[in-house]
Amino acid sequence: GFAAAAISLVIGVTYGGIAGYCGGKVDMVMMRIVDAMYSIPDMLYIILITVVLEPSMGSILLGICISSWMVRTQVMTLKEQEFSLAAFVLGASRKRILFKHLVVNSMGPIIVSVTLLVPSAIFNEAFLGFLGIGIPAPNASWGTLANDAKRFLTT
């Protein structure tokens, strides 16, 4: 759960920050890609990647990370604020404005999203384990344990 949240944080902040800061056609193209990805349920991505790449922690982690991005709207709002304009006028580079001013000031919503992503990733993995396409047998998972215990519920 923590690994998926950390990887999604890096991808989401970078991708969303670039889209939000650049705006215009760059933002439009980048967000159409995200819109296309959001039109398909997250669990379907995770199942397809797990089945294609073989069930392993890496494939599940990849599937969870692909479906969890954030940040763009917060950056778009903050780039219009006075401190962003002041940094630009003082000669700060676009990269510095993005990562030192906009992303830092967006940390509140980012922390909330990452915090909610950790249990979501754990439950997604447990669901895959319950279906039998999660982490392979020698490793324990909540889903595989629940699947093994399912037959004892009626006795």
Side-chain angles (χ1 to χ4, degrees):
F2 289 114
I7 294 169
S8 293
L9 172 73
V10 171
I11 293 170
V13 167
T14 304
Y15 193 87
I18 291 169
Y21 186 72
C22 291
K25 290 184 181 184
V26 172
D27 177 46
M28 186 176 65
V29 170
M30 291 176 80
M31 287 303 106
R32 290 310 75 81
I33 293 169
V34 172
D35 289 343
M37 292 181 69
Y38 279 156
S39 69
I40 299 171
D42 296 347
M43 189 53 69
L44 187 58
Y45 277 122
I46 299 168
I47 290 172
L48 288 174
I49 290 172
T50 303
V51 170
V52 169
L53 296 179
E54 83 186 26
S56 69
M57 182 58 88
S59 63
I60 294 171
L61 191 62
L62 176 67
I64 292 171
C65 291
I66 283 178
S67 63
S68 310
W69 293 352
M70 60 210 141
V71 174
R72 173 188 171 260
T73 54
Q74 187 72 18
V75 170
M76 287 186 72
T77 303
L78 289 174
K79 82 174 184 177
E80 303 300 327
Q81 299 291 325
E82 288 80 17
F83 67 88
S84 177
L85 181 60
F88 178 74
V89 169
L90 290 172
S93 67
R94 290 178 149 224
K95 184 178 174 182
R96 180 172 176 82
I97 293 171
L98 176 61
F99 289 107
K100 296 290 183 180
H101 297 287
L102 301 180
V103 171
V104 169
N105 286 305
S106 300
M107 287 311 286
I110 291 170
I111 290 171
V112 170
S113 296
V114 169
T115 303
L116 295 174
L117 182 61
V118 172
S120 174
I122 292 170
F123 288 127
N124 282 336
E125 189 283 319
F127 178 70
L128 291 175
F130 185 78
L131 292 178
I133 56 174
I135 298 174
N139 298 322
S141 165
W142 280 356
T144 55
L145 294 173
N147 193 10
D148 292 342
K150 177 178 64 171
R151 62 182 169 198
F152 297 114
L153 288 176
T154 59
T155 59

